Amino acid sequence: MLTNYIGIISSFESRSLLKTLTLHRGISTVPIAGKYRAIDFPLSYMINAGIKTINVLTNKSCRSLRTHLDVSKSWGLNRKSGGLVIHNDDLPTDAELLMANFNDLWQSHEDMVVIAPTYMICNINLKKAMEFHELSDADVTVIYKNISEPSDAFIGCDILDFNERNILTRVCDNFSPKKNINISTEVFLIKKDLLFSLLLSRPNREIALKDIIYRSKNNLNIKGFEHKEYLSCLNSLGNYFKTNMDMIKTTNLKEVFFNENRPIFSKIKDSIPTHYLNGADVKNAIISNECSIKGKVTNSVLSRYVTIEAGAEVENCIILQSCTIKSGAVLKNTIVDKEVIVEEGKSEGHFAYPLVIQKNM
């Protein structure tokens, strides 16, 4: 039954991947396309598949995550039974944290589990993956995307090899751009009792949940389900920048956000529309609510409450919440962290290595 699933979202990605951008937040809450956060994507595709109970695994430093998720009704998860549960502790891996809280999972009435990370940005048709899993003889289903052309965007991700029967035979790291590779989304469908068995037999406390599943490939029937739509991985600052720039493209924006059967939900905030004042020049940009635009904005993403003063120029930039770009400031290929005031002058990074203007600099 498609309603017989519980969700587990692992927010254990290393903060060092995004360098200074994650000094004050985890990867799960970095902004995507202005008003969204990375965790909104797995939350949304689980909800769209009918999952009513979702457990989030994170470490102790999770204030930004709790702040973002404090209004669970934004995702329809403010429920008396089930709903959204955050587990956090100072443990080395998501597997250890899950084991420490497994009683909560075990006592739920659902028999099946969907596991997902927060740093893979995609809008998966999870209902179809569930149907595939239940009609197959798989012990575990792992969701992947085939990358036909070489791309730097998936360096460091897991490559999956399947045999002619679609059974997982090999997992390896992606060290260099290659043609026709299967990139793991790190989303797994598995029976709850099988997951418990794998956790009990884990070789040590330092092994991550996904690696426990991968290591069982010789003993279990692990099959692949292909995700054919947009995918990106927030495992570097360059990839974070590219992901936001990708969202400006109409095809990606429609594919990710404007599927009427699979919307992406986020925390609801009541705010007024953006003001475009005399002299504003905006081209090909995502502008969130309650901004004030007097200057020039091109190929950029602006979060809420951003002010672009007259005479300021922003191109190929990501401007986070509550920033002010002063008159005479010229920014290109730059990420500006929240609550920063950028004074007059030129700041320019490279598209693959964007400049980051930190909070409280």
Side-chain angles (χ1 to χ4, degrees):
M1 291 179 13
L2 296 185
T3 57
N4 196 27
Y5 284 80
I6 189 170
I8 296 175
I9 298 176
S10 174
S11 177
F12 262 74
E13 299 92 353
S14 172
R15 291 192 176 198
S16 64
L17 294 173
L18 299 189
K19 305 183 187 303
T20 55
L21 197 61
T22 43
L23 288 176
H24 305 283
R25 61 176 75 83
I27 290 180
S28 61
T29 53
V30 293
I32 303 292
K35 73 172 187 176
Y36 299 92
R37 300 294 182 266
I39 197 170
D40 293 340
F41 295 86
L43 275 174
S44 296
Y45 60 67
M46 287 184 181
I47 291 162
N48 291 332
I51 295 176
K52 301 292 192 297
T53 302
I54 299 176
N55 294 265
V56 178
L57 307 178
T58 187
N59 53 31
K60 273 193 171 181
S61 304
C62 64
R63 187 182 61 152
S64 64
L65 179 62
R66 286 192 174 276
T67 300
H68 183 64
L69 299 180
D70 65 352
V71 186
S72 56
K73 67 180 180 182
S74 298
W75 296 269
L77 292 171
N78 54 330
R79 306 169 60 86
K80 291 182 179 179
S81 176
L84 183 64
V85 183
I86 301 175
H87 302 285
N88 68 292
D89 207 336
D90 191 17
L91 292 171
T93 65
D94 52 357
E96 284 300 301
L97 183 56
L98 181 57
M99 199 63 197
N101 294 277
F102 205 87
N103 277 344
D104 294 343
L105 189 67
W106 193 254
Q107 290 168 9
S108 66
H109 69 273
E110 295 89 353
D111 296 323
M112 303 293 298
V113 179
V114 176
I115 302 167
T118 62
Y119 74 155
M120 288 289 186
I121 304 302
C122 50
N123 188 354
I124 293 172
N125 191 335
L126 198 54
K127 277 188 179 178
K128 281 192 174 180
M130 291 172 175
E131 290 168 358
F132 169 86
H133 181 74
E134 293 178 13
L135 291 173
S136 74
D137 58 350
D139 298 311
V140 181
T141 293
V142 57
I143 301 177
Y144 69 92
K145 180 175 175 65
N146 182 265
I147 307 299
S148 57
E149 296 299 325
S151 172
D152 290 332
F154 298 101
I155 299 296
C157 295
D158 297 325
I159 297 177
L160 308 180
D161 290 340
F162 301 93
N163 64 16
E164 64 281 357
R165 294 167 51 214
N166 191 31
I167 294 174
L168 182 66
T169 57
R170 182 170 175 262
V171 182
C172 63
D173 290 333
N174 183 24
F175 291 115
S176 61
K178 302 179 185 70
K179 281 186 177 182
N180 196 32
I181 56 174
N182 299 320
I183 294 296
S184 175
T185 65
E186 301 178 23
V187 177
F188 304 91
L189 287 74
I190 185 173
K191 283 186 177 180
K192 185 168 65 178
D193 56 356
L194 177 56
L195 176 61
F196 188 48
S197 176
L198 292 176
L199 286 168
L200 286 175
S201 61
R202 67 196 186 284
N204 58 67
R205 298 180 72 245
E206 304 299 322
I207 185 170
L209 188 54
K210 67 167 185 171
D211 293 323
I212 292 174
I213 296 173
Y214 286 148
R215 288 190 181 196
S216 68
K217 67 183 183 302
N218 294 331
N219 302 315
L220 297 177
N221 185 8
I222 303 179
K223 290 194 171 183
F225 176 83
E226 186 176 2
H227 168 68
K228 297 183 179 181
E229 299 175 13
Y230 181 85
L231 175 69
S232 71
C233 180
L234 306 182
N235 63 355
S236 72
L237 201 56
N239 279 351
Y240 172 74
F241 186 76
K242 179 182 181 300
T243 299
N244 276 277
M245 294 297 105
D246 283 349
M247 294 301 110
I248 298 174
K249 299 173 184 175
T250 303
T251 52
N252 293 330
L253 196 65
K254 286 182 177 179
E255 191 170 83
V256 175
F257 293 104
F258 294 104
N259 186 313
E260 62 181 30
N261 297 316
R262 291 184 280 127
I264 299 296
F265 303 98
S266 190
K267 184 176 182 178
I268 296 171
K269 287 186 179 181
D270 295 325
S271 53
I272 63 174
T274 285
H275 288 174
Y276 297 91
L277 304 170
N278 288 339
D281 182 3
V282 179
K283 296 177 182 176
N284 200 35
I286 296 175
I287 312 290
S288 302
N289 285 347
E290 211 159 332
C291 293
S292 175
I293 313 295
K294 293 182 181 179
K296 185 175 182 179
V297 179
T298 308
N299 296 328
S300 296
V301 178
L302 274 58
S303 295
R304 292 182 174 99
Y305 320 125
V306 170
T307 298
I308 308 293
E309 293 188 353
E313 296 183 17
V314 172
E315 181 181 357
N316 295 341
C317 290
I318 304 168
I319 313 296
L320 302 191
Q321 183 173 305
S322 301
C323 289
T324 298
I325 313 302
K326 291 282 194 178
S327 179
V330 178
L331 303 179
K332 187 173 182 180
N333 299 326
T334 299
I335 302 170
V336 183
D337 207 343
K338 63 185 287 189
E339 299 171 356
V340 169
I341 298 173
V342 180
E343 301 288 350
E344 178 182 357
K346 185 174 182 179
S347 299
E348 182 173 350
H350 187 275
F351 192 89
Y353 303 99
L355 175 69
V356 178
I357 300 179
Q358 298 178 45
K359 181 180 178 182
N360 298 329
M361 279 186 66

